[in-house]
Amino acid sequence: MSHSCPKYLKHLLVKPGSKLKLDDVDPREVSFLGEEDDARAKLAEDIIEIDKLQDRLYAEGKRALLVVLQGTDTAGKDGTVRGVFNTTGPIGVSVTAFKQPNELERAHDYLWRIHMAAPRRGTIGIFNRSHYEDVLVGKVRKLAPKDVIQERYDQINAFEKLLADNGTVILKFMLHISRKEQGERLQERLDDPKKHWKFNAGDLEDRALWGDFQDAYQTALRRCSTDAAPWHVVPADRKWARNCIVASIVRDTLETMNPVYPKMPWKASDFKID
Amino acid sequence: MSHSCPKYLKHLLVKPGSKLKLDDVDPREVSFLGEEDDARAKLAEDIIEIDKLQDRLYAEGKRALLVVLQGTDTAGKDGTVRGVFNTTGPIGVSVTAFKQPNELERAHDYLWRIHMAAPRRGTIGIFNRSHYEDVLVGKVRKLAPKDVIQERYDQINAFEKLLADNGTVILKFMLHISRKEQGERLQERLDDPKKHWKFNAGDLEDRALWGDFQDAYQTALRRCSTDAAPWHVVPADRKWARNCIVASIVRDTLETMNPVYPKMPWKASDFKID
């Protein structure tokens, strides 16, 4: 297991077998980050280090990092990608946004399209939504029978272990915002014509089911935080804090992975450039 | 045709039907960029604008931009991606590096894997190498019979026109470096153990065939610079100049495409956030 979490963020890690109550996590409580200015300064350093570490990961070419981002609408999944990985650039980083499955995807088991999008060795893969939708919206909207949903938690754990055993380090982040904060963000999207394309009437239907979704998240967090692929609950009402937390854990994990520039089976003096 | 090139770079555009002589293009002559400091300042602006334009392209979701980067080993393909697109981040930008085709890819026509990697609407796709390898290394190394290679130029033009007709704007850049510059860059890779993984003994074999490759490039540039998908020859011995040129043309093209935030079929007042 190469994933790692700095000490001051360890309380955000969902322990395997935990009886986490999501309600107990305050989406605005981020005093553990210290002063905002200091945290932002650390973030600026972290994203530069992540870029350097990604270059080593790419050069090494043996392992991958998978970052799973989940959260209700407006929780800040895209914003996290921008805030944490923009400096890393598109070489060796892929982002997959999972929408409603298309016909071909629905013709397979629900993990088929996820497996197809798994990051290749040497790269960082970011999932904007993921297979967890199949135990979140799948559960709340009753898109599959209860017993089928129930089986999925173990299937997901086995699938993630497969990836982990084969060299993919997995970090999962639930971006945890309050209902109030979501209301403000949805309103912002309505108020700014440039953000209208991000607004989806369906988001309001999901919002009406807020409690059901929180329950479904709580179950998924409890059942699927494993040694192979731990969940973190990120207080995400404050965007800067959210980015600071994710960046810090990603950096710590990449440092623990400690990818190395490969040693080649030759000496530089073997070659002469004419 | 939405691709566009600023006036001061128009001479880098290979005109359809041109009898371009690659030897006549000096990889170090970039006086048309003016003072280096000014050019770098413009680059800094350009990459920020490219990021903003990419956001609009993504929101619009109707068209794509394909940027094809070709050049001999060490010409700076990765460096160009970093220099021009790092600020744009990985959302909505995908980079595909084409290596030697694998067994599955070889079981199809040479454009099959290229088509699979074509950027989806709303995104920028960057090809690090491309189908042009099939008329470059394919020709020089005689990987296919002469008449098969000959047919490919028209096939490529038809394929690129298909993409263009269906909403993908295509920009092709040949990063043109001198043999001397390549020698220095290869030596750098040998001198720095952190860069050893980038060094490939096969690069020296290709270097020994420098003239053949330049000829193959010249033919591809002459035969495949079309209205639908123009080639640009980028003097690339100076990395900053290379980035300035590519960024300027990409920005100009995106501005000409002028993607717009979509107008939704509803008014903000239709919704009430509770």
Side-chain angles (χ1 to χ4, degrees):
Chain A
M1 245 66 60
S2 301
H3 47 72
S4 180
C5 182
K7 256 189 189 160
Y8 72 107
L9 299 176
K10 281 266 196 261
H11 63 289
L12 304 177
L13 190 69
V14 182
K15 290 200 189 73
S18 139
K19 291 290 167 227
L20 168 89
K21 284 191 178 155
L22 200 44
D23 261 356
D24 291 348
V25 184
D26 181 350
R28 304 186 86 80
E29 163 45 35
V30 291
S31 60
F32 53 86
L33 290 176
E35 294 293 331
E36 179 177 339
D37 284 353
D38 297 340
R40 283 182 186 271
K42 181 176 183 310
L43 172 62
E45 278 171 31
D46 284 347
I47 62 178
I48 290 168
E49 285 308 311
I50 289 171
D51 182 39
K52 287 186 198 162
L53 286 155
Q54 192 274 324
D55 194 58
R56 281 162 51 189
L57 188 74
Y58 190 80
E60 183 190 76
K62 289 189 180 159
R63 292 171 294 171
L65 176 65
L66 172 60
V67 176
V68 175
L69 299 176
Q70 282 285 161
T72 59
D73 301 309
T74 76
K77 300 178 285 294
D78 275 331
T80 304
V81 181
R82 285 187 179 277
V84 177
F85 293 102
N86 248 36
T87 310
T88 316
I91 298 179
V93 181
S94 64
V95 182
T96 308
F98 291 97
K99 316 267 183 190
Q100 286 196 11
N102 64 31
E103 201 179 351
L104 176 64
E105 291 167 345
R106 283 198 312 272
H108 295 80
D109 71 84
Y110 67 102
L111 291 174
W112 179 78
R113 64 173 184 160
I114 309 296
H115 212 157
M116 299 250 290
R120 65 163 66 190
R121 294 194 180 99
T123 71
I124 298 177
I126 304 165
F127 285 178
N128 180 335
R129 302 187 188 272
S130 67
H131 42 302
Y132 283 95
E133 292 297 318
D134 295 288
V135 291
L136 294 167
V137 65
K139 188 182 186 192
V140 173
R141 299 267 183 203
K142 300 184 176 52
L143 303 179
K146 252 188 184 170
D147 57 327
V148 169
I149 300 280
Q150 277 307 315
E151 289 172 350
R152 285 184 180 167
Y153 301 103
D154 289 343
Q155 290 165 354
I156 287 173
N157 289 342
F159 169 70
E160 291 177 353
K161 187 165 188 310
L162 168 80
L163 297 187
D165 287 349
N166 285 278
T168 296
V169 175
I170 304 173
L171 292 173
K172 299 182 295 195
F173 298 99
M174 190 251 174
L175 308 181
H176 182 48
I177 58 169
S178 62
R179 194 168 183 285
K180 180 165 173 288
E181 179 72 19
Q182 187 191 51
E184 288 168 14
R185 292 186 187 181
L186 286 171
Q187 192 60 54
E188 262 174 51
R189 289 184 181 180
L190 286 175
D191 293 345
D192 181 354
K194 282 188 182 174
K195 291 185 175 169
H196 278 188
W197 65 282
K198 291 186 184 180
F199 184 85
N200 186 333
D203 295 354
L204 295 184
E205 292 171 29
D206 282 353
R207 179 169 168 80
L209 298 167
W210 182 270
D212 293 345
F213 271 102
Q214 295 291 302
D215 283 350
Y217 264 108
Q218 183 171 283
T219 304
L221 292 165
R222 287 179 179 188
R223 299 270 315 256
C224 298
S225 198
T226 60
D227 284 333
W231 271 110
H232 308 78
V233 179
V234 179
D237 268 13
R238 293 184 172 85
K239 294 173 182 175
W240 63 269
R242 174 199 72 205
N243 291 347
C244 287
I245 292 165
V246 174
S248 185
I249 295 172
V250 167
R251 174 182 174 177
D252 210 59
T253 292
L254 284 167
E255 282 177 348
T256 302
M257 289 173 73
N258 191 27
V260 291
Y261 289 100
K263 286 214 166 57
M264 307 311 282
W266 43 257
K267 293 192 305 282
S269 58
D270 293 349
F271 300 102
K272 178 111 192 83
I273 314 289
D274 68 339
Chain B
M1 246 65 62
S2 300
H3 47 71
S4 179
C5 182
K7 255 189 191 165
Y8 72 107
L9 299 176
K10 280 266 198 259
H11 63 288
L12 304 177
L13 190 69
V14 181
K15 291 200 189 74
S18 138
K19 292 289 167 229
L20 169 89
K21 284 192 177 155
L22 199 44
D23 260 357
D24 291 348
V25 184
D26 180 350
R28 304 187 84 81
E29 164 45 35
V30 290
S31 60
F32 53 86
L33 291 176
E35 292 294 328
E36 179 177 341
D37 284 353
D38 298 339
R40 283 181 185 273
K42 180 174 183 313
L43 171 63
E45 279 172 31
D46 284 347
I47 62 177
I48 290 169
E49 286 306 312
I50 289 171
D51 182 38
K52 288 186 197 162
L53 287 156
Q54 191 275 322
D55 194 57
R56 281 162 51 190
L57 189 73
Y58 189 79
E60 182 190 79
K62 289 188 180 159
R63 293 171 294 171
L65 175 66
L66 172 60
V67 176
V68 175
L69 299 176
Q70 283 285 160
T72 59
D73 300 310
T74 76
K77 297 178 288 292
D78 275 331
T80 303
V81 181
R82 286 188 178 276
V84 177
F85 294 101
N86 248 37
T87 310
T88 316
I91 298 180
V93 181
S94 64
V95 182
T96 308
F98 291 97
K99 316 269 181 187
Q100 286 197 9
N102 65 31
E103 200 179 350
L104 177 64
E105 291 167 345
R106 283 197 311 273
H108 296 79
D109 71 84
Y110 67 102
L111 291 175
W112 179 78
R113 63 174 186 159
I114 309 296
H115 211 157
M116 299 251 288
R120 65 162 66 193
R121 294 193 179 99
T123 72
I124 298 177
I126 304 165
F127 285 178
N128 179 334
R129 302 186 187 273
S130 67
H131 42 301
Y132 283 95
E133 291 298 318
D134 296 288
V135 291
L136 294 168
V137 64
K139 187 181 188 193
V140 173
R141 298 269 183 201
K142 301 183 174 56
L143 302 180
K146 251 188 185 169
D147 56 328
V148 169
I149 300 280
Q150 276 307 316
E151 288 171 349
R152 286 183 179 167
Y153 301 103
D154 289 342
Q155 291 165 353
I156 287 174
N157 289 342
F159 169 70
E160 291 177 352
K161 187 165 187 308
L162 167 79
L163 297 187
D165 286 349
N166 286 277
T168 297
V169 175
I170 304 173
L171 292 174
K172 300 182 293 195
F173 298 100
M174 190 252 174
L175 308 181
H176 181 48
I177 58 170
S178 63
R179 194 169 185 283
K180 180 163 172 290
E181 180 72 20
Q182 187 190 52
E184 287 168 15
R185 293 186 186 181
L186 286 170
Q187 191 61 54
E188 263 174 49
R189 290 185 179 179
L190 286 175
D191 292 345
D192 181 354
K194 283 188 181 174
K195 291 185 176 169
H196 278 188
W197 66 282
K198 291 187 184 179
F199 184 86
N200 186 333
D203 295 355
L204 295 185
E205 291 171 29
D206 282 353
R207 180 169 167 80
L209 297 167
W210 182 268
D212 293 344
F213 271 100
Q214 295 291 302
D215 283 350
Y217 264 108
Q218 182 171 286
T219 304
L221 292 165
R222 288 179 177 189
R223 298 272 313 258
C224 297
S225 199
T226 60
D227 284 333
W231 270 111
H232 309 78
V233 179
V234 179
D237 269 12
R238 292 183 172 87
K239 294 173 183 176
W240 64 268
R242 173 199 73 204
N243 291 348
C244 288
I245 292 165
V246 173
S248 185
I249 295 172
V250 167
R251 174 183 173 176
D252 209 60
T253 292
L254 283 167
E255 283 177 345
T256 303
M257 289 173 73
N258 191 27
V260 291
Y261 289 101
K263 285 214 168 56
M264 308 310 283
W266 43 258
K267 294 194 302 285
S269 57
D270 293 348
F271 301 101
K272 176 113 192 83
I273 314 288
D274 68 338

